[in-house]
Amino acid sequence: MMIEERSRQGQRRATLLPFAVPDISQLEIDAVLEVLRSGWLTTGPKAKEFERAFADYAGVRHAVALNSGTAALHLALDAIGIGPHDEVIVPAYTFTATAEVIRYFGARPVLVDVEADTLNMDVGAVEQALSPRTRALIGVDIAGQPCDWQRLRGLAESHKFLLVDDAAHALPSTLGGRSVGSWADLTAFSFYATKTLTTGEGGMLVTDCAAWAERAASMALHGISKDAWKRYTADGSWYYEVIAPGFKYNMTDIAAALGLAQLGRLEEMYQRRVAIAAQYTFAFADMPEVEPPTIRPDRTTAWHLYILRLHLSRLRCDRAEFIRLLGAANVCVSVHFIPLHLHPYYRTTYAYTAEDFPIAYAEYQRAVSMPIYSRMSDQDVEDVITAVRQIVAANRR
Ligand SMILES: Cc1ncc(COP(=O)(O)O)c(C=O)c1O
């Protein structure tokens, strides 16, 4: 049994390779320490500086720093006034945050299927899902590869709905040479611990519309009128007015200092991900049992995720067993995503069956996210490739 198991899994790394590790250098540590010593911990000058720097980076007029990407999505829908009778189109192949924010308003998330190659929402399926109630669409740039925003813009203009980009994975990514952040009406980024830029937890909402940005900034701090954060500063005032029942979504200066330092290192961290992805794709190219990601020629991806797909008909093991064998080789992997319509909440609320979104369902069953992060060494990358090669060789049909 032991010998058979060894031959199926191949060589084992000496230590466990985590799925994701944040890249925190002395720069980030110093920046956070400076804030801790400054006497100002919550939203203040660092958060404002981060917003300005981020807006410039993304090539947009306004950025609102928040405590999560989910908050950014929520405030995007709030800014455009989504109501209980509205429909918002989302891909089935995403994380629940994309759709749950629609439910916060009592509105309906209308799921659509995805393209088999990019795993991004299928524009043809979007067209079929349009109804007189369609008020907005949230596109997700899965793994970092931008959606087909040019075609989505065309549909949005002819059918009068707004575009929100869930760019939780897409920093930095481009479409047609232009950064993600400037394609949709509003764009939400996430700085969760596994993301390409992290503030531990955090997010940023960007837009060119001053009124939406102002509304989001106010709703992020209890719906208090302008510059609520200043009320404890010398140039602030004790007087404030509540203009709506808002939320508590503001980003702390501690997190913003971390974000600013990370933004300064984003290009360097991104280039490391690009190199790792290239190494994987080169190595997997001669294995017909697996399929590396397809990146369309008009786009670049942030490589937040490297989703390898298995050709299950060429393997004697299923995806769960493949993941177990990688784990036994000390390589941690994950799955992105379990399509929304398979989860009990969405399945039962909207009476979905697995086959309602056949591409999302089929691709999910063969998807494995490989470790990809800037702190991986060349040896780590080699170990992942070796583990995949050996498991494929031992389980080839
Ligand atoms: C596609 C997608 N959207 C939104 C989010 C939510 O981001 P956050 O965890 O910062 O709230 C995530 C988080 O992982 C995500 O993967």
Side-chain angles (χ1 to χ4, degrees):
M1 184 65 190
M2 280 286 284
I3 293 167
E4 193 197 325
E5 175 70 13
R6 220 20 72 81
S7 72
R8 290 194 69 201
Q9 83 188 31
Q11 219 171 293
R12 189 169 195 258
R13 255 176 72 95
T15 56
L16 191 71
L17 180 71
F19 174 66
V21 179
D23 188 342
I24 303 298
S25 74
Q26 194 59 41
L27 278 174
E28 283 87 337
I29 293 168
D30 290 345
V32 168
L33 285 179
E34 189 193 312
V35 171
L36 291 178
R37 292 189 178 112
S38 74
W40 189 280
L41 304 187
T42 187
T43 309
K46 284 288 171 200
K48 298 299 130 189
E49 192 184 334
F50 187 32
E51 287 174 344
R52 198 58 268 142
F54 198 89
D56 291 346
Y57 181 88
V60 288
R61 291 210 183 97
H62 309 283
V64 182
L66 302 164
N67 61 9
S68 75
T70 308
L73 288 168
H74 183 187
L75 294 184
L77 296 189
D78 171 82
I80 60 177
I82 293 296
H85 302 295
D86 294 333
E87 292 181 354
V88 180
I89 299 176
V90 288
Y93 203 89
T94 185
F95 185 57
T96 185
T98 316
E100 80 190 28
V101 294
I102 302 164
R103 296 299 300 133
Y104 294 177
F105 299 89
R108 182 181 176 133
V110 175
L111 305 194
V112 295
D113 213 344
V114 293
E115 304 165 333
D117 58 345
T118 65
L119 300 173
N120 279 334
M121 68 202 311
D122 182 322
V123 181
V126 170
E127 218 166 342
Q128 285 179 4
L130 290 171
S131 89
R133 291 189 166 186
T134 307
R135 279 288 314 283
L137 168 152
I138 308 179
V140 182
D141 306 313
I142 282 287
Q145 173 159 215
C147 298
D148 203 336
W149 288 108
Q150 290 118 320
R151 286 176 64 211
L152 290 172
R153 169 63 64 201
L155 277 186
E157 278 170 10
S158 54
H159 291 83
K160 304 277 174 274
F161 62 87
L162 291 164
L163 297 176
V164 176
D165 185 354
D166 179 344
H169 302 177
L171 183 74
S173 300
T174 62
L175 169 65
R178 233 171 79 195
S179 284
V180 158
S182 64
W183 282 99
D185 296 300
L186 298 116
T187 301
F189 292 93
S190 163
F191 308 137
Y192 179 66
T194 59
K195 295 298 189 320
T196 51
L197 180 158
T198 187
T199 57
E201 296 279 359
M204 191 74 82
L205 179 63
V206 307
T207 180
D208 277 333
C209 172
W212 288 338
E214 202 172 298
R215 167 81 182 181
S218 162
M219 292 304 276
L221 210 52
H222 305 293
I224 293 177
S225 54
K226 237 175 154 206
D227 282 344
W229 67 273
K230 277 194 183 159
R231 69 193 186 280
Y232 298 120
T233 66
D235 57 343
S237 161
W238 62 268
Y239 183 76
Y240 61 86
E241 288 179 338
V242 174
I243 51 168
F247 310 100
K248 188 74 201 311
Y249 282 164
N250 55 305
M251 177 182 278
T252 66
D253 264 20
I254 304 172
L258 185 47
L260 270 167
Q262 287 262 288
L263 190 61
R265 296 183 52 236
L266 185 63
E267 182 61 24
E268 158 208 332
M269 294 191 292
Y270 166 64
Q271 288 305 336
R272 179 70 193 135
R273 284 177 188 260
V274 169
I276 296 168
Q279 252 174 293
Y280 279 161
T281 297
F282 181 76
F284 300 146
D286 66 355
M287 288 183 225
E289 296 79 8
V290 298
E291 182 185 320
T294 302
I295 308 302
R296 298 258 174 96
D298 60 343
R299 323 179 185 183
T300 63
T301 170
W303 289 115
H304 164 54
L305 299 173
Y306 187 100
I307 303 178
L308 187 68
R309 276 173 284 174
L310 308 179
H311 285 298
L312 293 169
S313 60
R314 294 173 186 260
L315 289 165
R316 283 187 289 115
C317 62
D318 64 8
R319 192 259 311 268
E321 177 66 358
F322 192 86
I323 290 176
R324 195 190 68 76
L325 292 170
L326 280 171
N330 259 344
V331 172
C332 291
V333 295
S334 191
V335 173
H336 298 87
F337 284 95
I338 303 165
L340 295 181
H341 68 296
L342 302 183
H343 288 290
Y345 171 72
Y346 296 100
R347 194 180 66 221
T348 54
T349 308
Y350 301 107
Y352 286 130
T353 67
E355 291 305 330
D356 283 344
F357 307 102
I359 297 174
Y361 183 47
E363 297 310 315
Y364 150 66
Q365 284 169 299
R366 63 193 200 99
V368 183
S369 297
M370 310 308 287
I372 183 164
Y373 47 96
S374 44
R375 282 189 56 197
M376 282 178 81
S377 68
D378 287 342
Q379 188 59 53
D380 292 335
V381 180
E382 268 313 308
D383 288 348
V384 175
I385 292 168
T386 303
V388 170
R389 197 181 294 287
Q390 291 182 339
I391 293 166
V392 163
N395 293 278
R396 192 169 271 143
R397 256 193 215 283

